Amino acid sequence: MEHDLVPLTLFVCITFGITYAIKLLVNARVRIKMLQACDSKELIESIVRGEDHLGRMASLRWGLVLLLEGLGFGAIQYSGWTTITPGAIAVLIGAFGLGSLIYFLIAQRLS
């Protein structure tokens, strides 16, 4: 079973890498076409600022969610749980939900 995991993981990593590379190429192509077609610098700057803002908000969201997931795992370790129980799963799901709610509140204030 352990030897089957390595090729599967390699396949997933390669697929993700190819997909991400295609996404980057398509986004670059769209930006080039937009720059060629549009004469308004203000429009282009506002689009770039909007994309930059979305990137920062995505980083904020995943940073909060991963921070609270880490705290959830720490709480499970501190409690001494060594098996997967409904309580352990509830702690992790609750940490994910709490991170998403905190992100929502911060995003509302920043908007």
mmCIF file of all heavy atoms in Angstrom, residues 71-105:
data_model
loop_
_atom_site.group_PDB
_atom_site.id
_atom_site.type_symbol
_atom_site.label_atom_id
_atom_site.label_comp_id
_atom_site.label_asym_id
_atom_site.label_seq_id
_atom_site.Cartn_x
_atom_site.Cartn_y
_atom_site.Cartn_z
ATOM 1 N N LEU A 71 -4.244 25.703 15.575
ATOM 2 C CA LEU A 71 -4.671 25.774 16.978
ATOM 3 C C LEU A 71 -5.593 24.606 17.328
ATOM 4 O O LEU A 71 -5.542 24.079 18.446
ATOM 5 C CB LEU A 71 -5.365 27.105 17.259
ATOM 6 C CG LEU A 71 -4.466 28.338 17.222
ATOM 7 C CD1 LEU A 71 -5.298 29.604 17.392
ATOM 8 C CD2 LEU A 71 -3.401 28.247 18.282
ATOM 9 N N GLY A 72 -6.431 24.205 16.358
ATOM 10 C CA GLY A 72 -7.303 23.046 16.584
ATOM 11 C C GLY A 72 -6.502 21.768 16.779
ATOM 12 O O GLY A 72 -6.787 20.971 17.678
ATOM 13 N N PHE A 73 -5.486 21.575 15.933
ATOM 14 C CA PHE A 73 -4.628 20.403 16.105
ATOM 15 C C PHE A 73 -3.876 20.466 17.423
ATOM 16 O O PHE A 73 -3.683 19.442 18.096
ATOM 17 C CB PHE A 73 -3.633 20.290 14.943
ATOM 18 C CG PHE A 73 -4.194 19.608 13.732
ATOM 19 C CD1 PHE A 73 -4.426 20.318 12.574
ATOM 20 C CD2 PHE A 73 -4.482 18.252 13.746
ATOM 21 C CE1 PHE A 73 -4.937 19.705 11.450
ATOM 22 C CE2 PHE A 73 -4.989 17.618 12.636
ATOM 23 C CZ PHE A 73 -5.219 18.345 11.477
ATOM 24 N N GLY A 74 -3.459 21.664 17.815
ATOM 25 C CA GLY A 74 -2.792 21.818 19.108
ATOM 26 C C GLY A 74 -3.719 21.483 20.262
ATOM 27 O O GLY A 74 -3.304 20.861 21.247
ATOM 28 N N ALA A 75 -4.993 21.891 20.152
ATOM 29 C CA ALA A 75 -5.960 21.570 21.203
ATOM 30 C C ALA A 75 -6.181 20.062 21.301
ATOM 31 O O ALA A 75 -6.307 19.517 22.403
ATOM 32 C CB ALA A 75 -7.283 22.286 20.932
ATOM 33 N N ILE A 76 -6.210 19.408 20.151
ATOM 34 C CA ILE A 76 -6.374 17.949 20.153
ATOM 35 C C ILE A 76 -5.165 17.286 20.796
ATOM 36 O O ILE A 76 -5.299 16.366 21.620
ATOM 37 C CB ILE A 76 -6.598 17.434 18.719
ATOM 38 C CG1 ILE A 76 -7.969 17.881 18.212
ATOM 39 C CG2 ILE A 76 -6.458 15.924 18.640
ATOM 40 C CD1 ILE A 76 -8.207 17.617 16.746
ATOM 41 N N GLN A 77 -3.968 17.760 20.456
ATOM 42 C CA GLN A 77 -2.751 17.201 21.046
ATOM 43 C C GLN A 77 -2.718 17.457 22.547
ATOM 44 O O GLN A 77 -2.366 16.576 23.335
ATOM 45 C CB GLN A 77 -1.520 17.826 20.379
ATOM 46 C CG GLN A 77 -0.204 17.350 20.913
ATOM 47 C CD GLN A 77 0.095 15.918 20.515
ATOM 48 O OE1 GLN A 77 -0.366 15.455 19.484
ATOM 49 N NE2 GLN A 77 0.859 15.230 21.342
ATOM 50 N N TYR A 78 -3.113 18.656 22.957
ATOM 51 C CA TYR A 78 -3.107 19.016 24.370
ATOM 52 C C TYR A 78 -4.112 18.184 25.159
ATOM 53 O O TYR A 78 -3.873 17.844 26.312
ATOM 54 C CB TYR A 78 -3.414 20.509 24.520
ATOM 55 C CG TYR A 78 -3.384 21.001 25.946
ATOM 56 C CD1 TYR A 78 -2.181 21.171 26.607
ATOM 57 C CD2 TYR A 78 -4.562 21.285 26.620
ATOM 58 C CE1 TYR A 78 -2.142 21.607 27.917
ATOM 59 C CE2 TYR A 78 -4.543 21.727 27.931
ATOM 60 C CZ TYR A 78 -3.331 21.889 28.575
ATOM 61 O OH TYR A 78 -3.291 22.321 29.865
ATOM 62 N N SER A 79 -5.237 17.852 24.521
ATOM 63 C CA SER A 79 -6.259 17.049 25.188
ATOM 64 C C SER A 79 -5.846 15.597 25.352
ATOM 65 O O SER A 79 -6.455 14.867 26.125
ATOM 66 C CB SER A 79 -7.566 17.098 24.394
ATOM 67 O OG SER A 79 -8.041 18.418 24.329
ATOM 68 N N GLY A 80 -4.835 15.168 24.611
ATOM 69 C CA GLY A 80 -4.355 13.799 24.731
ATOM 70 C C GLY A 80 -5.115 12.799 23.878
ATOM 71 O O GLY A 80 -4.982 11.594 24.074
ATOM 72 N N TRP A 81 -5.904 13.279 22.927
ATOM 73 C CA TRP A 81 -6.628 12.367 22.053
ATOM 74 C C TRP A 81 -5.638 11.736 21.084
ATOM 75 O O TRP A 81 -4.871 12.422 20.427
ATOM 76 C CB TRP A 81 -7.715 13.085 21.274
ATOM 77 C CG TRP A 81 -8.818 13.625 22.127
ATOM 78 C CD1 TRP A 81 -9.158 13.216 23.361
ATOM 79 C CD2 TRP A 81 -9.708 14.683 21.795
ATOM 80 N NE1 TRP A 81 -10.215 13.950 23.840
ATOM 81 C CE2 TRP A 81 -10.583 14.860 22.886
ATOM 82 C CE3 TRP A 81 -9.860 15.506 20.691
ATOM 83 C CZ2 TRP A 81 -11.579 15.815 22.891
ATOM 84 C CZ3 TRP A 81 -10.863 16.456 20.705
ATOM 85 C CH2 TRP A 81 -11.712 16.591 21.794
ATOM 86 N N THR A 82 -5.658 10.418 21.012
ATOM 87 C CA THR A 82 -4.733 9.722 20.118
ATOM 88 C C THR A 82 -5.448 9.017 18.979
ATOM 89 O O THR A 82 -4.795 8.514 18.076
ATOM 90 C CB THR A 82 -3.903 8.696 20.907
ATOM 91 O OG1 THR A 82 -4.794 7.790 21.559
ATOM 92 C CG2 THR A 82 -3.011 9.386 21.928
ATOM 93 N N THR A 83 -6.768 8.971 19.019
ATOM 94 C CA THR A 83 -7.526 8.345 17.940
ATOM 95 C C THR A 83 -8.464 9.370 17.327
ATOM 96 O O THR A 83 -8.757 10.401 17.921
ATOM 97 C CB THR A 83 -8.354 7.148 18.466
ATOM 98 O OG1 THR A 83 -9.253 7.621 19.472
ATOM 99 C CG2 THR A 83 -7.460 6.080 19.049
ATOM 100 N N ILE A 84 -8.919 9.042 16.150
ATOM 101 C CA ILE A 84 -9.872 9.922 15.484
ATOM 102 C C ILE A 84 -11.245 9.677 16.099
ATOM 103 O O ILE A 84 -11.793 8.591 16.024
ATOM 104 C CB ILE A 84 -9.904 9.653 13.976
ATOM 105 C CG1 ILE A 84 -8.546 9.934 13.370
ATOM 106 C CG2 ILE A 84 -10.968 10.509 13.298
ATOM 107 C CD1 ILE A 84 -8.437 9.575 11.906
ATOM 108 N N THR A 85 -11.763 10.712 16.723
ATOM 109 C CA THR A 85 -13.072 10.631 17.360
ATOM 110 C C THR A 85 -13.956 11.735 16.795
ATOM 111 O O THR A 85 -13.452 12.687 16.187
ATOM 112 C CB THR A 85 -12.950 10.807 18.884
ATOM 113 O OG1 THR A 85 -12.415 12.108 19.149
ATOM 114 C CG2 THR A 85 -12.043 9.749 19.504
ATOM 115 N N PRO A 86 -15.261 11.635 16.994
ATOM 116 C CA PRO A 86 -16.128 12.734 16.555
ATOM 117 C C PRO A 86 -15.762 14.066 17.207
ATOM 118 O O PRO A 86 -15.899 15.120 16.591
ATOM 119 C CB PRO A 86 -17.525 12.272 16.966
ATOM 120 C CG PRO A 86 -17.444 10.792 16.981
ATOM 121 C CD PRO A 86 -16.048 10.471 17.433
ATOM 122 N N GLY A 87 -15.283 14.027 18.426
ATOM 123 C CA GLY A 87 -14.869 15.260 19.098
ATOM 124 C C GLY A 87 -13.669 15.908 18.410
ATOM 125 O O GLY A 87 -13.622 17.128 18.257
ATOM 126 N N ALA A 88 -12.710 15.104 17.994
ATOM 127 C CA ALA A 88 -11.530 15.637 17.310
ATOM 128 C C ALA A 88 -11.924 16.240 15.962
ATOM 129 O O ALA A 88 -11.452 17.316 15.580
ATOM 130 C CB ALA A 88 -10.487 14.538 17.125
ATOM 131 N N ILE A 89 -12.804 15.559 15.252
ATOM 132 C CA ILE A 89 -13.276 16.074 13.964
ATOM 133 C C ILE A 89 -14.069 17.361 14.178
ATOM 134 O O ILE A 89 -13.943 18.314 13.405
ATOM 135 C CB ILE A 89 -14.103 15.005 13.237
ATOM 136 C CG1 ILE A 89 -13.195 13.834 12.852
ATOM 137 C CG2 ILE A 89 -14.775 15.577 12.000
ATOM 138 C CD1 ILE A 89 -13.913 12.628 12.323
ATOM 139 N N ALA A 90 -14.863 17.412 15.234
ATOM 140 C CA ALA A 90 -15.634 18.623 15.534
ATOM 141 C C ALA A 90 -14.716 19.797 15.838
ATOM 142 O O ALA A 90 -15.000 20.933 15.426
ATOM 143 C CB ALA A 90 -16.577 18.367 16.709
ATOM 144 N N VAL A 91 -13.626 19.557 16.543
ATOM 145 C CA VAL A 91 -12.672 20.634 16.835
ATOM 146 C C VAL A 91 -12.084 21.175 15.534
ATOM 147 O O VAL A 91 -11.990 22.395 15.336
ATOM 148 C CB VAL A 91 -11.561 20.140 17.788
ATOM 149 C CG1 VAL A 91 -10.411 21.130 17.866
ATOM 150 C CG2 VAL A 91 -12.121 19.875 19.171
ATOM 151 N N LEU A 92 -11.707 20.286 14.627
ATOM 152 C CA LEU A 92 -11.108 20.731 13.372
ATOM 153 C C LEU A 92 -12.112 21.458 12.486
ATOM 154 O O LEU A 92 -11.792 22.498 11.895
ATOM 155 C CB LEU A 92 -10.505 19.536 12.634
ATOM 156 C CG LEU A 92 -9.324 18.871 13.341
ATOM 157 C CD1 LEU A 92 -8.848 17.666 12.551
ATOM 158 C CD2 LEU A 92 -8.201 19.852 13.537
ATOM 159 N N ILE A 93 -13.323 20.944 12.382
ATOM 160 C CA ILE A 93 -14.344 21.613 11.578
ATOM 161 C C ILE A 93 -14.715 22.949 12.210
ATOM 162 O O ILE A 93 -14.911 23.954 11.512
ATOM 163 C CB ILE A 93 -15.577 20.703 11.396
ATOM 164 C CG1 ILE A 93 -15.208 19.512 10.508
ATOM 165 C CG2 ILE A 93 -16.744 21.469 10.789
ATOM 166 C CD1 ILE A 93 -16.293 18.465 10.392
ATOM 167 N N GLY A 94 -14.808 22.991 13.532
ATOM 168 C CA GLY A 94 -15.097 24.244 14.222
ATOM 169 C C GLY A 94 -13.998 25.272 14.015
ATOM 170 O O GLY A 94 -14.283 26.463 13.826
ATOM 171 N N ALA A 95 -12.741 24.840 14.020
ATOM 172 C CA ALA A 95 -11.631 25.766 13.782
ATOM 173 C C ALA A 95 -11.690 26.313 12.361
ATOM 174 O O ALA A 95 -11.460 27.502 12.128
ATOM 175 C CB ALA A 95 -10.298 25.063 14.033
ATOM 176 N N PHE A 96 -12.023 25.467 11.399
ATOM 177 C CA PHE A 96 -12.149 25.925 10.011
ATOM 178 C C PHE A 96 -13.282 26.942 9.881
ATOM 179 O O PHE A 96 -13.125 27.991 9.248
ATOM 180 C CB PHE A 96 -12.397 24.729 9.089
ATOM 181 C CG PHE A 96 -12.372 25.083 7.635
ATOM 182 C CD1 PHE A 96 -11.181 25.068 6.947
ATOM 183 C CD2 PHE A 96 -13.527 25.433 6.963
ATOM 184 C CE1 PHE A 96 -11.138 25.390 5.601
ATOM 185 C CE2 PHE A 96 -13.506 25.758 5.621
ATOM 186 C CZ PHE A 96 -12.304 25.742 4.938
ATOM 187 N N GLY A 97 -14.405 26.634 10.486
ATOM 188 C CA GLY A 97 -15.544 27.556 10.434
ATOM 189 C C GLY A 97 -15.250 28.867 11.131
ATOM 190 O O GLY A 97 -15.620 29.935 10.636
ATOM 191 N N LEU A 98 -14.593 28.807 12.273
ATOM 192 C CA LEU A 98 -14.237 30.028 12.995
ATOM 193 C C LEU A 98 -13.272 30.881 12.183
ATOM 194 O O LEU A 98 -13.415 32.107 12.124
ATOM 195 C CB LEU A 98 -13.636 29.674 14.359
ATOM 196 C CG LEU A 98 -13.332 30.831 15.281
ATOM 197 C CD1 LEU A 98 -14.612 31.596 15.615
ATOM 198 C CD2 LEU A 98 -12.662 30.339 16.541
ATOM 199 N N GLY A 99 -12.307 30.253 11.523
ATOM 200 C CA GLY A 99 -11.392 30.999 10.664
ATOM 201 C C GLY A 99 -12.115 31.676 9.519
ATOM 202 O O GLY A 99 -11.824 32.825 9.169
ATOM 203 N N SER A 100 -13.075 30.992 8.922
ATOM 204 C CA SER A 100 -13.853 31.579 7.830
ATOM 205 C C SER A 100 -14.709 32.738 8.321
ATOM 206 O O SER A 100 -14.842 33.758 7.635
ATOM 207 C CB SER A 100 -14.741 30.509 7.183
ATOM 208 O OG SER A 100 -13.942 29.535 6.552
ATOM 209 N N LEU A 101 -15.303 32.602 9.510
ATOM 210 C CA LEU A 101 -16.107 33.694 10.058
ATOM 211 C C LEU A 101 -15.259 34.921 10.398
ATOM 212 O O LEU A 101 -15.663 36.055 10.146
ATOM 213 C CB LEU A 101 -16.865 33.227 11.300
ATOM 214 C CG LEU A 101 -18.055 32.315 11.043
ATOM 215 C CD1 LEU A 101 -18.611 31.803 12.359
ATOM 216 C CD2 LEU A 101 -19.126 33.029 10.245
ATOM 217 N N ILE A 102 -14.094 34.698 10.970
ATOM 218 C CA ILE A 102 -13.207 35.819 11.279
ATOM 219 C C ILE A 102 -12.780 36.514 9.983
ATOM 220 O O ILE A 102 -12.748 37.742 9.908
ATOM 221 C CB ILE A 102 -11.991 35.347 12.096
ATOM 222 C CG1 ILE A 102 -12.446 34.925 13.495
ATOM 223 C CG2 ILE A 102 -10.927 36.430 12.178
ATOM 224 C CD1 ILE A 102 -11.368 34.267 14.310
ATOM 225 N N TYR A 103 -12.484 35.727 8.947
ATOM 226 C CA TYR A 103 -12.148 36.315 7.652
ATOM 227 C C TYR A 103 -13.308 37.167 7.138
ATOM 228 O O TYR A 103 -13.100 38.273 6.646
ATOM 229 C CB TYR A 103 -11.796 35.236 6.628
ATOM 230 C CG TYR A 103 -11.842 35.747 5.218
ATOM 231 C CD1 TYR A 103 -10.826 36.548 4.731
ATOM 232 C CD2 TYR A 103 -12.911 35.463 4.388
ATOM 233 C CE1 TYR A 103 -10.873 37.054 3.450
ATOM 234 C CE2 TYR A 103 -12.968 35.964 3.108
ATOM 235 C CZ TYR A 103 -11.943 36.753 2.637
ATOM 236 O OH TYR A 103 -12.007 37.249 1.378
ATOM 237 N N PHE A 104 -14.516 36.647 7.244
ATOM 238 C CA PHE A 104 -15.688 37.377 6.763
ATOM 239 C C PHE A 104 -15.824 38.719 7.474
ATOM 240 O O PHE A 104 -16.067 39.750 6.839
ATOM 241 C CB PHE A 104 -16.945 36.529 6.962
ATOM 242 C CG PHE A 104 -18.204 37.225 6.574
ATOM 243 C CD1 PHE A 104 -18.538 37.406 5.243
ATOM 244 C CD2 PHE A 104 -19.064 37.706 7.539
ATOM 245 C CE1 PHE A 104 -19.704 38.058 4.886
ATOM 246 C CE2 PHE A 104 -20.237 38.361 7.199
ATOM 247 C CZ PHE A 104 -20.555 38.532 5.863
ATOM 248 N N LEU A 105 -15.641 38.713 8.789
ATOM 249 C CA LEU A 105 -15.767 39.956 9.548
ATOM 250 C C LEU A 105 -14.665 40.960 9.172
ATOM 251 O O LEU A 105 -14.934 42.152 9.025
ATOM 252 C CB LEU A 105 -15.732 39.658 11.044
ATOM 253 C CG LEU A 105 -16.930 38.861 11.589
ATOM 254 C CD1 LEU A 105 -16.688 38.490 13.044
ATOM 255 C CD2 LEU A 105 -18.210 39.643 11.408
#
